[in-house]
Amino acid sequence: MQMKKWLYTLLVVVLAACSNEIPEQQPAKRSGRTVLAYLVSNSPNSLEINLQNNVVDMYTALAGSKDSCTLLVFYRPQEYQSFLDVPTLLCFDTDGRGNINGSPALSGGNLTFEGVCQTARKKEYTLNSQVATDPDVMEEVFADMQKEAPSDSYGLIFGSHATGWIKGTSFQARAFGDDNGYNIDIPDLADVLKRSFPEKKLDFVLFDACMMGTAEVGYELKEVTSHCIASVMETPIYGFPYDQILPYLYTQNIDYSAVCHEFISFNKKSNQWGTCAVMACSQMENLAEAVKAKLFEWQEALPSISMQKVQQYGISGGRRDYRYFSYDLLDFFRELGRKSGMAEADLNEAVASVQTALNQAVIAKDCLSGEDYAFGGLVIDDTRFCGIGMYIPGEYNRYVTNKTVWNNYYKQSISWYHAAGWDELN
C-alpha cells in the first residue's frame, strides 16, 4: 500500500512538471521587475510576421540572460493566419543559466515562433463577440498576468498599430491597437491601466506603435506609470530590437538613453527612419504648467505664428493624413517667441522655463535626422527635436481648422488641452 501511494505521488509530480498549461496554484512573488507584453496583430494591415519576430527576439534575450527573470506575452493573432488559433497568454521563466521553462533554450533552426509558443506555459482566451482592445478583456488579461507572476513591479510593452491621442475610427485613426478595426482611445487605456495596476507598479509603458510620443499621451499616463517610451513619428514595422533592449528593461535602474540609442541604431542599420524618447510621467504636470504660462505670456502672437516653420511629425499617404497632428513642443515656442518680437540671440533665455520643464519630463531621446532618413517627405532636424510633440488646436493652426473631429475630441476628452491652458486663452 505504501509503495502504491509513493508511486501515485511521483506520477502526479511528473505530470505537473511536464504540463505546458498555467498551473492553478498561486506562484511565489518574484523580486525585481517582470516584463509584460500586449501584442495585437489582427488587422487588415497585419503586423503578424513582425510581431512574431518580436516574440522570438524577446525569447532570445531571455535565453542570454545571466539573471532569472519572467516574461509574459499576450498575443492576439491574425485570424486563420497564425500558428496560434486563439488569443493566448504565453509565459516564460529563465533561470539565468540558459534554460527557459525548465528546458534548454531553443537555438538555431528550432528558434521559430512556433517553437517558442510550444515551449511556453499558456492560457487561451475565447473572446466571442469581444476584441483584444475591449477594456474588460484587457483587464482580465492583466489580472491573469499578475496572478501568474506576482512581482515587486512591472514593465509593459504594447505592440500594434496606433495613432497617438487621436480618437479611434476618426480619419482612419486607430488610437491604440487594431483588432479587426476595433481599438481603444488613450484616456480609456489609461483608465484600464489605473484599474489593473492600482498600486502604480508599472515602471514603464513602452509603445511599439506609431505616434505615441506626445505630451498628450504622456499626460494621460501620469497617474499610471513612471515612464513612457515612445516615438512621436510613425514607426517602422520591424518594431524595437528586443534581443538588444530587453536586458535593459530588467535592470533595477533602467538606462533609458541606451534603450533609445539601441532603437535608433537598429533603424539606421535597417535603412529606416525614426525618433524615440522617454517621458518621466510624474513631471508632465510641471511641463503643462510651463507650457500654460508661456502660452499666456505670448498669446497675442498666436494668430500670426508661422506653423509651416515649426518641426511637425505627421505625414500624408495612402488612406491616411496625419500631417499637423503633432508639432515639436519646444520648436513651437521658439517660433512663437520670434512672433512675439524676441531677438534670435534672446530666444534660448526666453524659452528657458519650458526648456527646464522639458529637461525634467523628457529624460532620454534620440532620432535619425536629415534627408537620408526622411519618411514620406518628412525630415527630422535633430537641432529642433525636443523628443515629444504637441497638438496645436484649430483656432491657432490653419492647417487643422477643418479637422472638426480632431478638434472637438481634443477639447472634450484630452486632459492636456485643459492642463496646458488652451481652454483659457482669450
Side-chain angles (χ1 to χ4, degrees), residues 266-331:
F266 174 75
N267 287 354
K268 185 175 183 178
K269 291 176 184 176
S270 304
N271 197 30
Q272 300 294 317
W273 67 91
T275 69
C276 188
V278 181
M279 289 177 274
C281 295
S282 63
Q283 297 298 317
M284 294 305 293
E285 192 73 69
N286 292 335
L287 179 59
E289 291 176 2
V291 167
K292 182 176 182 177
K294 194 57 67 175
L295 282 176
F296 273 69
E297 180 183 347
W298 288 343
Q299 63 178 307
E300 291 184 1
L302 279 168
S304 61
I305 188 171
S306 305
M307 293 305 300
Q308 73 271 23
K309 295 182 179 180
V310 182
Q311 174 77 68
Q312 69 97 18
Y313 295 111
I315 74 160
S316 175
R319 296 176 57 212
R320 68 193 189 281
D321 186 356
Y322 300 129
R323 289 173 299 175
Y324 321 121
F325 95 100
S326 199
Y327 290 83
D328 190 274
L329 191 151
L330 187 61
D331 202 42

